[in-house]
Amino acid sequence: RTDQELDLEGVDVVYWTRIQKERLQPGQNYEQLKAMYQIRPETLESLPAHGILMHPLPRDGEISEEVDSDPRAVYFEQAGNGLLVRMVLLEALAG
């Protein structure tokens, strides 16, 4: 999709992941697909102010670094929370 086709109006949460290169069929161009499915600042113009953008990290170009400063981009907070959850789980398992 191009930015013009990706309408995020009314969307509360966007969970964006990378193109899974290992799952592509022979003949599919990874670089071309990666360029087609990229979140850039203009992509977020239709995302409501209350909406959030999540990503499991690390990223491979599917989200432009310029998006990092958008307050709706919560993937760094998401990663930090995941670390804390894993710490609690390990503590609980270790007993």
Side-chain angles (χ1 to χ4, degrees):
R1 293 185 173 182
T2 64
D3 287 334
Q4 294 80 22
E5 295 173 351
L6 186 59
D7 182 8
L8 301 176
E9 186 176 335
V11 173
D12 295 319
V13 177
V14 176
Y15 190 88
W16 205 254
T17 62
R18 67 178 175 83
I19 298 288
Q20 294 183 328
K21 188 176 187 178
E22 62 275 10
R23 295 184 184 260
L24 294 180
Q25 299 298 317
Q28 287 184 296
N29 186 313
Y30 173 70
E31 293 301 324
Q32 183 180 28
L33 286 170
K34 190 168 82 167
M36 287 175 55
Y37 295 98
Q38 184 184 46
I39 299 283
R40 294 181 290 280
E42 54 271 15
T43 311
L44 297 181
E45 289 176 3
S46 62
L47 183 66
H50 70 272
I52 62 171
L53 172 62
M54 301 177 76
H55 188 282
L57 298 179
R59 61 183 165 194
D60 185 26
E62 62 277 356
I63 298 178
S64 166
E65 290 183 13
E66 297 144 343
V67 172
D68 294 351
S69 61
D70 191 300
R72 297 167 295 178
V74 298
Y75 34 85
F76 295 125
E77 180 181 351
Q78 175 188 350
N81 290 339
L83 173 65
L84 295 174
V85 168
R86 289 189 296 279
M87 289 170 61
V88 169
L89 288 172
L90 287 171
E91 176 66 28
L93 291 172

